[in-house]
Amino acid sequence: MNREENIGNELDIENEEFVALLSKRVNTTSQIAIVGSNICPIESLDYEIVENELFKQDWRSRKKVEIFQYVILKWAFALLIGLFTGLVGIFNNIAVENLSGFKLLMTTNLMIQHKYFKAFAAFAGCNVVFAAAAAALCAFIAPAAAGSGIPEVKAYLNGVDAYSILAPGTLFVKIFGSVLGVSAGFVVGKEGPMVHTGACIASILGQGGSRKYHLTWKWLRYFKNDRDRRDLITCGAAAGVAAAFRAPVGGVLFALEEAASWWRSALLWRTFFTTAVVAIVLRAFIQLCSTGRCGLFGEGGLIMYDVSAAAARYSGSDILAVILLGTIGGIFGSLYNYLVDKVLRVYSILNQKGAAFKVCLVIIISLLTSCCAYGLPWLATCIPCPTDESISCPNTDKSGNYKSFQCPPGYYNDLASLFLNTNDDAIRNLMSTSTVKEFHIYTLFIFFAAVFCLGIITYGIAIPSGLFIPVILAGACYGRLVGRLFETISKLDAGLFALLGAASFLGGTMRMTVSLCVILLELTNDLLLLPLVMLVLLISKSVADIFNKGVYDQIVKLKGFPYLEAHAEPYMKQLVALDVVSGPLITFSGIEKVGNILHALRTTGHNGFPVIDDPPLSDAPELCGIVLRSHLLVLLKGKAFSKDRIFAGEEIFHRFAVFDFAKAGSGKGIKVEDLDIEEEEMDMYIDLHPITNTSPYMVVETMSLAKAAILFRQLGLRHMCVVPKSQGRPPIVGILTRHDFMPEHILGLYPHIKPHKYNFDYCWLFVFCLPSVLFLVVDD
């Protein structure tokens, strides 16, 4: 696209004849570019350091004391993130354990008195009340708090500035909505929302102060940029995992493997420090609550599935069972992701009908869950209690493995022991060791089918809901089921099979390996299982990758976030950077008219504009750099205008400070509507050189699109300049943003390109063949 083709967009033209002549010239070359332009309401974050004259002057003037203050404050924020996230984790667990305990104890007492209908009414009534409260919070206060929040955090750390995903209101609803949703008996977990909670806490601390609340301390203003906020939010995500699973090392690895798109060694240290603070806070409160001051919390609110009592000795036949378990986990995990994707697409349509409809949908799912949890145990037969006197059977006053339900004294209902417990306690029961015959095979079948289906239809309703616990619950169930089927040829304990089943299902759905391995080992307190857990995770992930992507990647795509993958798509190698440049390109002169700038800001939504110096400012047209929309607004609001086309000089450093151009907290920056430009000021000039980023990242127009996409993601860019290969042309061809790398944009420009697609049909072949293979292995 030639420079003269954009003159009409750059200048305030009054000559109608010239405009008509220009339109004829532009239409022939720019029409395709305009049609192919990719406009998306979701913006990118400014992770790149803007090296303009003001920034350089600020760094030159900074003293060693100020740099020391900045470093100390980064570590202080890491400490506060760990402290607050740990406290929120404690609160969540205490609240869930006591609310759920109140509901379950009331139901159990009514069951003992044979008041079965009142027991169901009390059980379902509590669930509906909790569910409706959680849904009302999400639907009317913070819709962004629904779901786990991990896809949103992952997108933010990738550079996506989605609206209100880290707002204070979202944090409030995330905490209380998660407590109410888990207490309502839904097949959801509070672990995913804890990641979002930690990120919200970090975002609020990293706002760089607030003029509204008179928090304008100079130290805080160092963090008024997306780069430092990104580091803090990475620490917050890691702290959320550490608080949810009591897994500090697993939290760091989760942030590294799944959440963060950009990493460095200094961030590793601070993230590890943050999770260490979380571990200390949790340990202190666990000791306090073990005295019984926290209700049922001392019994196991912070999940720990100790399987170290079982001997982890295995032979060749055990390895074969583990391989089969990993294959099953990969197939079921991909099937789970496929069904979750379909359900979320349906819910996205239903939720458009309004907040009241969202609440009604939550109540319907709550009633269905209550009916399953209370009705299915009636299908189970009563089992005699173990003869061991040290075992409390049946359990009537606390959570445990043996629920009497409708059974006479001395008997327990194994299906009720799974349904009429918190999800954490149900997992603990499934992973209990030295209890091979505790659960019937058909009980495990029924429970797995119920949890698998309820987990799918529950995720996506208007409540904060995590996927970790439903996946662990279903995986532990079918893992124990496989252990029962292989008990004649395998020496592994049924509880260990449950753990390996949970690992295989997690690997099949979330496609993580290292972080999941460490989290599970920290959860179960048994390093001897490391080889088996590693093997089952590798197999399940490899099998599941044949069919589709991980569940969080699917949700990111479904939500419409312009997420940049770590690897470029194969078809990008067939294109070059110039092939996807959108137009028309709008540029400014180094010293530009105020009216031209204001016209461009009002008529476009671009956030970056190339600045080009033309003669007489330079010998030939040359690219000075890029100026950001937010910086232009600050400069226009300050009215640093001049009647003549001259450089601003040193005066600009006295009128503006670098913090005047810092990003405002919570997205509350200056807007075009806030400007008050007089008519006589429209013909005045303004020098853009002091705020122009003089070192933008540039690629030549013939660079392959795949290479450009990798550079764009790894450098955390918002704008990438495309420059011509040959001389004698305008100094810039166009600007690439993350939307230009999206498959929808590229395939829209080039529909003949066929992208790679996962073939899910092969999954059904495996599903139908597996029972036959399983029967043959067991029969042999």
Side-chain angles (χ1 to χ4, degrees):
M1 188 177 299
N2 296 328
R3 165 87 170 150
E4 61 264 25
E5 295 169 356
N6 298 298
I7 297 177
N9 294 307
E10 300 162 14
L11 303 177
D12 189 16
I13 301 174
E14 297 179 356
N15 191 326
E16 296 181 359
E17 295 181 359
F18 183 77
V19 173
L21 176 62
L22 180 65
S23 63
K24 292 180 181 179
R25 300 176 60 186
V26 172
N27 288 340
T28 57
T29 56
S30 300
Q31 186 175 6
I32 297 177
I34 295 172
V35 173
S37 63
N38 193 9
I39 301 173
C40 181
I42 300 178
E43 298 296 342
S44 299
L45 296 166
D46 294 309
Y47 287 156
E48 181 184 356
I49 295 178
V50 179
E51 293 184 346
N52 53 36
E53 293 181 17
L54 282 171
F55 174 83
K56 294 175 183 178
Q57 177 66 22
D58 177 68
W59 268 105
R60 286 193 294 263
S61 62
R62 283 193 183 184
K63 302 177 182 178
K64 291 184 177 180
V65 175
E66 294 178 325
I67 298 175
F68 179 74
Q69 291 172 350
Y70 170 67
V71 174
I72 291 297
L73 196 58
K74 288 196 293 187
W75 286 94
F77 276 162
L79 172 66
L80 292 176
I81 292 168
L83 176 63
F84 291 146
T85 305
L87 292 175
V88 171
I90 294 292
F91 168 78
N92 283 0
N93 282 279
I94 291 178
V96 168
E97 289 292 318
N98 285 279
L99 289 176
S100 299
F102 167 78
K103 175 189 67 179
L104 294 174
L105 288 177
M106 180 172 58
T107 304
T108 301
N109 291 333
L110 291 173
M111 291 292 294
I112 293 175
Q113 301 173 23
H114 304 290
K115 298 178 180 179
Y116 301 128
F117 180 77
K118 288 185 178 181
F120 172 72
F123 179 73
C126 290
N127 286 343
V128 168
V129 170
F130 294 153
L137 288 174
C138 276
F140 294 102
I141 298 179
S148 70
I150 293 179
E152 287 81 357
V153 174
K154 184 176 179 178
Y156 184 92
L157 294 178
N158 188 258
V160 177
D161 190 10
Y163 177 72
S164 74
I165 60 174
L166 299 174
T170 304
L171 173 63
F172 172 80
V173 174
K174 205 73 180 184
I175 295 174
F176 292 96
S178 176
V179 168
L180 293 170
V182 176
S183 301
F186 286 118
V187 184
V188 297
K190 53 185 179 295
E191 286 67 30
M194 273 303 304
V195 176
H196 196 179
T197 298
C200 288
I201 292 173
S203 176
I204 293 173
L205 289 175
Q207 289 296 312
S210 172
R211 291 190 179 95
K212 180 179 179 181
Y213 298 104
H214 305 290
L215 298 174
T216 56
W217 191 24
K218 185 176 181 180
W219 286 28
L220 294 176
R221 290 185 289 174
Y222 293 144
F223 291 85
K224 280 187 172 294
N225 63 85
D226 290 326
R227 191 181 182 89
D228 285 315
R229 290 177 192 172
R230 173 188 60 186
D231 292 350
L232 292 176
I233 290 169
T234 303
C235 293
V241 175
F245 293 107
R246 281 170 59 188
V249 180
V252 176
L253 294 176
F254 174 85
L256 172 61
E257 183 179 6
E258 181 66 14
S261 297
W262 192 83
W263 198 264
R264 67 182 190 277
S265 58
L267 181 59
L268 177 67
W269 277 99
R270 269 187 285 147
T271 307
F272 184 72
F273 172 71
T274 305
T275 57
V277 172
V278 174
I280 294 172
V281 172
L282 295 182
R283 188 63 186 175
F285 272 83
I286 287 173
Q287 292 179 347
L288 174 64
C289 292
S290 62
T291 60
R293 300 178 183 177
C294 302
L296 298 175
F297 179 72
E299 294 292 331
L302 281 168
I303 52 180
M304 172 66 78
Y305 312 127
D306 196 342
V307 297
S308 59
R313 297 187 181 92
Y314 38 90
S315 59
S317 59
D318 298 323
I319 299 297
L320 291 177
V322 170
I323 293 175
L324 178 62
L325 200 60
T327 306
I328 296 173
I331 294 171
F332 276 130
S334 59
L335 177 63
Y336 191 88
N337 292 358
Y338 175 79
L339 295 176
V340 165
D341 181 75
K342 297 301 181 184
V343 170
L344 287 178
R345 292 179 186 276
V346 174
Y347 283 166
S348 65
I349 298 174
L350 296 178
N351 288 335
Q352 294 177 0
K353 297 183 178 181
F357 191 86
K358 293 181 181 180
V359 177
C360 292
L361 181 61
V362 171
I363 293 175
I364 291 172
I365 301 297
S366 176
L367 290 173
L368 177 61
T369 304
S370 300
C371 291
C372 291
Y374 189 85
L376 291 178
W378 291 93
L379 302 177
T381 58
C382 296
I383 303 174
C385 289
T387 56
D388 189 352
E389 295 182 357
S390 62
I391 297 177
S392 175
C393 179
N395 305 116
T396 57
D397 58 344
K398 62 179 181 179
S399 60
N401 292 37
Y402 308 100
K403 291 288 185 180
S404 61
F405 201 61
Q406 88 289 8
C407 296
Y411 290 82
Y412 73 95
N413 187 313
D414 57 346
L415 198 52
S417 300
L418 298 175
F419 275 116
L420 295 181
N421 260 321
T422 62
N423 293 330
D424 292 348
D425 288 326
I427 297 173
R428 191 174 290 108
N429 293 346
L430 288 169
M431 291 187 181
S432 59
T433 57
S434 303
T435 55
V436 179
K437 303 293 184 180
E438 181 180 347
F439 301 103
H440 281 303
I441 291 180
Y442 67 83
T443 294
L444 297 174
F445 266 117
I446 294 173
F447 187 71
F448 171 73
V451 168
F452 189 88
C453 296
L454 288 175
I456 291 171
I457 66 173
T458 302
Y459 191 82
I461 60 177
I463 61 169
S465 54
L467 281 172
F468 271 100
I469 289 301
V471 170
I472 293 176
L473 194 59
C477 188
Y478 79 72
R480 193 175 182 97
L481 177 60
V482 172
R484 288 295 305 272
L485 296 176
F486 278 83
E487 62 184 345
T488 57
I489 61 173
S490 177
K491 297 180 181 179
L492 284 178
D493 190 90
L496 300 183
F497 267 107
L499 169 62
L500 295 174
S504 69
F505 206 2
L506 283 169
T509 55
M510 300 181 182
R511 314 295 162 83
M512 294 181 283
T513 52
V514 179
S515 57
L516 283 180
C517 183
V518 174
I519 288 173
L520 289 172
L521 292 178
E522 288 183 288
L523 270 178
T524 55
N525 193 29
D526 192 355
L527 284 175
L528 297 177
L529 284 176
L530 177 61
L532 294 182
V533 174
M534 291 174 63
L535 178 63
V536 79
L537 282 171
L538 289 172
I539 293 174
S540 62
K541 183 185 184 302
S542 300
V543 171
D545 280 339
I546 299 173
F547 308 117
N548 51 26
K549 293 186 177 182
V551 64
Y552 294 134
D553 293 323
Q554 291 187 171
I555 296 172
V556 165
K557 183 178 180 181
L558 188 63
K559 287 180 176 289
F561 295 138
Y563 185 86
L564 291 174
E565 299 288 349
H567 304 285
E569 295 290 343
Y571 61 78
M572 289 186 177
K573 297 179 181 179
Q574 307 173 27
L575 304 172
V576 296
L578 182 62
D579 292 335
V580 297
V581 169
S582 302
L585 181 66
I586 299 176
T587 65
F588 293 137
S589 176
I591 302 176
E592 186 61 85
K593 271 191 176 183
V594 174
N596 294 342
I597 299 175
L598 196 60
H599 174 72
L601 294 178
R602 285 174 175 172
T603 57
T604 70
H606 302 331
N607 286 282
F609 300 90
V611 177
I612 297 176
D613 272 345
D614 290 314
L617 298 179
S618 61
D619 296 334
E622 64 177 25
L623 178 64
C624 295
I626 289 182
V627 61
L628 296 180
R629 182 187 190 91
S630 58
H631 293 180
L632 286 173
L633 291 171
V634 174
L635 200 63
L636 290 175
K637 191 173 181 64
K639 295 190 176 184
F641 308 147
S642 62
K643 294 183 178 180
D644 301 319
R645 198 179 184 190
I646 59 174
F647 291 99
E650 296 291 332
E651 180 186 355
I652 195 73
F653 300 117
H654 301 293
R655 297 191 61 173
F656 295 96
V658 69
F659 290 120
D660 295 331
F661 297 89
K663 184 170 182 178
S666 302
K668 297 178 181 178
I670 301 175
K671 299 179 181 179
V672 180
E673 294 78 13
D674 300 331
L675 300 178
D676 185 18
I677 306 296
E678 302 293 338
E679 187 66 29
E680 59 270 13
E681 295 173 334
M682 300 291 281
D683 292 327
M684 299 179 73
Y685 293 91
I686 187 168
D687 185 8
L688 302 182
H689 292 96
I691 63 170
T692 299
N693 181 11
T694 56
S695 57
Y697 288 93
M698 295 179 285
V699 297
V700 68
E701 60 185 352
T702 55
M703 176 181 284
S704 71
L705 189 60
K707 189 175 182 179
I710 296 299
L711 287 174
F712 194 95
R713 184 186 190 273
Q714 290 182 346
L715 296 174
L717 302 182
R718 184 175 188 179
H719 303 102
M720 176 182 281
C721 297
V722 181
V723 296
K725 184 178 181 180
S726 58
Q727 297 181 352
R729 297 169 58 190
I732 183 170
V733 177
I735 294 180
L736 291 178
T737 65
R738 70 172 47 241
H739 303 296
D740 295 312
F741 295 104
M742 292 297 104
E744 295 79 8
H745 173 59
I746 299 172
L747 298 178
L749 294 175
Y750 304 97
H752 63 277
I753 296 179
K754 302 298 181 184
H756 171 72
K757 293 184 178 180
Y758 291 93
N759 192 351
F760 195 79
D761 294 336
Y762 289 112
C763 185
W764 298 108
L765 179 63
F766 278 93
V767 170
F768 288 128
C769 291
L770 265 179
S772 301
V773 176
L774 183 62
F775 175 77
L776 291 175
V777 173
V778 176
D779 187 57
D780 291 341

